[in-house]
Amino acid sequence: MPPADQPFRVTVHGDNLVALAAALRLSRLGHRVSLVCADPRWRRDSTRPLAATLPPVLELPSAWKDLFAKSGRSMDAELSGRGLRLVQAPSPVHLLDADELTLPTERADQLSAVRRRFGPDVADCWRAVLDRADEIWQARRRLGVERAVTSTPRVGSLPETIRTTPALTGLTRDLPDLLAACLDSLGPLEGGTRPGAGGVLLAADLAVPRVFGRWHLVGPQGPTDLQPLLDLLDARLDRRGIAVLAGTRPASGAPVNAAAGTGSEGPADAVVEATAPPVRRRPIRRQQTFWAPVRTLTTTLAPDPRDADEGIREQIEHTPDGPVVRWRWRNGDRLVTVTDDHTRPVPDPARGPALSDTGGWRRRPVLGWTRHDGVATLAASPASHGGPEPWAQLLTGALAAYQVHLHLTGEDVSPTNRAVGADGRAHRRMPSA
C-alpha cells in the first residue's frame, strides 16, 4: 500500500463506455489512472468511432449526467458552453406491413394512442404489459444496474417476476400483431437475439424511456449524434490527468508506455478489465454471441432547409426477419439518415452473450476479482449483468469504480442508500416494504 499522500495506480483497459466511466470516476476519487486501448474509439478520428455504433437518441440520461457530476462540471454546464442542449426526442413510429402506430413516451399518452388505434380492451392488455415491464425494471435495476453482481445469481434468489417467465412470448397474448411485434423486436433491438427470442428481462426496456424519457442533442446546426458528448468526456480525461495509452494490458497489469510498450511507473495497484471475455469457440445455445445490426449512414441535401426542425425522428419497421430502425434528422442543410438493419445481423462478442433468457443473463461474467501476476484485476464490461445498453455500460463503469476504490482503500463510496433520478442527482431511496 502506498503512503497516505500518494495515490494508488489503476490501469483501465478498454475502449468502451464502461472504461470511460470507470476511469473518470476513479480519477475523481483520487487515484492515478491510465486508460489503455489499441484505438480510443470515443474520439471522432478513431478508425471505428464509438458514436457510429450508439443510438442518437438517449435513454436514461441520468447515467450520463451522474458521470459528468461525479467527475467534474455538470453535463448541462458543459453542453451550454459548447452551444449544445438536450431536448426531448419525438415519439417513435412503429410499422408492420400497412399498419402504423406512434407510441408516445409518456404512459398516459401511450395508452391513449393504443386505445384510439385498437380500442379499450387492447389498451387494458397493453396497460398490463406496461405494469409488468415496470415490475421487471424494478427487479433488473437491483441486479447489476444499481448494485454489483459479484457472484452468479442463483435461480432461487431471483425475484419471481423474472424467474417464472423465461421469454417475452408470454407477454404477447391477446395483443394485435403490431403491438406483439413491438415486444418480439425487443430481442434483436436490446438483447442480440432473433425476433421473439428475447429474455423477459428485456421488458425493462419498455419501462426505461417512460420513466426517464427519450432525449437527443441539438447543436448550432441542429440535431446531432452523441459524438459531442464523447468529445466532452475526452477533454475531461485530459483535464483530470488520465493518461490515454495505446496498446494492450500486459499480464503484470503495469501501465503501458505509449512509445516503448512497457510500464513506466511500475506495476498498477489494480486493473479494471473492461473488455468482454472471449466467447467459447463452440458456445452452448444459451450462451450464444450477441448479434448486432448492420448500420449504414447516409447524408444528402435536405429537401427544403426552411422546414421546421422536428428533431431526430425514429421509425421502426417490423419484419419477419427482424426490425429495421431508421433515425432521420436535419443538420444544417444536410439530411442525415442512420439505419440499423437487424434482418442480417453480425456477431458482436464485445456485448457478451445474447440475452435470450434469464438463464443466459445469469451466466454473464460477474464483477469479480482475479489476480494476474499478483495484480488484482476486476472484470467489468458490456458483457456484465448490467447489460450492453449505453446507459447500462455507464452504470457498470460506476459500479467498477466503487469496487476498485473499496478494494484499495477500504472505503465504500457506493450510493447504497441513494438512487439516481432523472435529473442526474442522487435521491434518498425509500426502504423496501
Side-chain angles (χ1 to χ4, degrees):
M1 180 175 294
D5 60 344
Q6 293 184 14
F8 289 94
R9 294 184 294 270
V10 181
T11 298
V12 179
H13 182 243
D15 57 11
N16 49 44
L17 295 178
V18 176
L20 273 178
L24 286 167
R25 286 175 179 270
L26 284 165
S27 177
R28 183 59 182 267
L29 288 169
H31 305 289
R32 182 179 298 171
V33 180
S34 298
L35 181 53
V36 179
C37 60
D39 178 17
R41 295 186 60 206
W42 58 88
R43 294 176 179 167
R44 61 178 67 238
D45 61 353
S46 165
T47 58
R48 298 181 302 126
L50 188 60
T53 69
L54 300 175
V57 173
L58 273 175
E59 294 182 349
L60 216 157
S62 59
W64 295 83
K65 292 187 176 184
D66 192 58
L67 173 59
F68 275 87
K70 297 295 175 57
S71 62
R73 200 175 178 213
S74 74
M75 189 172 88
D76 289 341
E78 291 275 24
L79 291 177
S80 178
R82 298 288 185 94
L84 296 159
R85 56 195 173 94
L86 203 60
V87 301
Q88 287 189 323
S91 302
V93 178
H94 294 264
L95 304 173
L96 177 66
D97 298 327
D99 266 353
E100 178 178 323
L101 177 66
T102 299
L103 275 181
T105 302
E106 202 276 331
R107 177 188 175 96
D109 292 341
Q110 189 172 128
L111 289 173
S112 294
V114 172
R115 185 179 297 107
R116 288 194 301 270
R117 178 67 179 79
F118 298 108
D121 291 341
V122 172
D124 288 342
C125 291
W126 190 246
R127 180 184 291 106
V129 168
L130 298 183
D131 290 344
R132 185 64 182 276
D134 290 342
E135 294 173 2
I136 293 170
W137 165 242
Q138 292 303 322
R140 178 181 170 181
R141 68 188 301 171
R142 294 178 175 87
L143 299 168
V145 176
E146 291 180 350
R147 304 173 189 173
V149 176
T150 57
S151 61
T152 301
R154 293 178 292 105
V155 174
S157 69
L158 296 176
E160 184 177 0
T161 187
I162 63 175
R163 186 175 70 239
T164 57
T165 307
L168 284 168
T169 51
L171 300 179
T172 61
R173 291 190 299 268
D174 303 321
L175 290 176
D177 290 345
L178 179 52
L179 288 177
C182 293
L183 290 178
D184 287 340
S185 291
L186 285 175
L189 291 173
E190 308 292 353
T193 74
R194 65 185 185 277
V200 72
L201 272 170
L202 296 176
D205 289 281
L206 291 177
V208 168
R210 289 189 297 103
V211 175
F212 299 98
R214 301 171 68 256
W215 306 81
H216 67 77
L217 281 175
V218 175
Q221 297 297 313
T224 179
D225 62 15
L226 300 190
Q227 185 61 56
L229 269 184
L230 299 178
D231 291 341
L232 291 171
L233 292 176
D234 188 36
R236 184 160 293 188
L237 291 173
D238 185 60
R239 288 200 301 272
R240 298 218 59 84
I242 297 174
V244 179
L245 307 174
T248 57
R249 177 180 59 78
S252 65
V256 173
N257 180 285
T262 58
S264 60
E265 299 178 353
D269 298 299
V271 169
V272 177
E273 182 56 68
T275 58
V279 178
R280 297 178 183 178
R281 183 166 296 183
R282 297 180 64 185
I284 61 175
R285 180 182 61 84
R286 292 186 178 182
Q287 291 179 310
Q288 62 183 331
T289 302
F290 194 103
W291 288 88
V294 173
R295 171 166 289 195
T296 56
L297 168 68
T298 59
T299 305
T300 59
L301 281 174
D304 187 348
R306 297 171 299 176
D307 289 345
D309 178 18
E310 298 181 17
I312 295 182
R313 291 157 287 170
E314 181 176 348
Q315 174 184 291
I316 305 173
E317 181 184 358
H318 302 278
T319 78
D321 297 322
V324 178
V325 186
R326 292 183 179 86
W327 294 277
R328 289 191 178 94
W329 66 90
R330 201 187 74 234
N331 188 274
D333 62 351
R334 312 296 291 182
L335 181 65
V336 181
T337 303
V338 174
T339 302
D340 275 1
D341 186 351
H342 292 266
T343 67
R344 47 192 181 100
V346 294
D348 187 2
R351 301 193 206 186
L355 294 170
S356 54
D357 56 23
T358 302
W361 169 84
R362 285 179 51 245
R363 288 185 289 272
R364 291 172 79 84
V366 301
L367 265 68
W369 290 96
T370 56
R371 297 193 75 84
H372 293 281
D373 290 350
V375 180
T377 301
L378 180 73
S381 74
S384 299
H385 286 84
E389 300 95 334
W391 54 264
Q393 292 190 45
L394 294 178
L395 296 177
T396 296
L399 294 176
Y402 302 149
Q403 293 278 346
V404 171
H405 187 75
L406 176 63
H407 172 81
L408 294 174
T409 69
E411 180 186 16
D412 186 358
V413 295
S414 60
T416 53
N417 65 335
R418 293 177 179 269
V420 176
D423 57 1
R425 300 177 181 178
H427 301 279
R428 197 169 294 278
R429 184 184 292 119
M430 297 299 294
S432 301

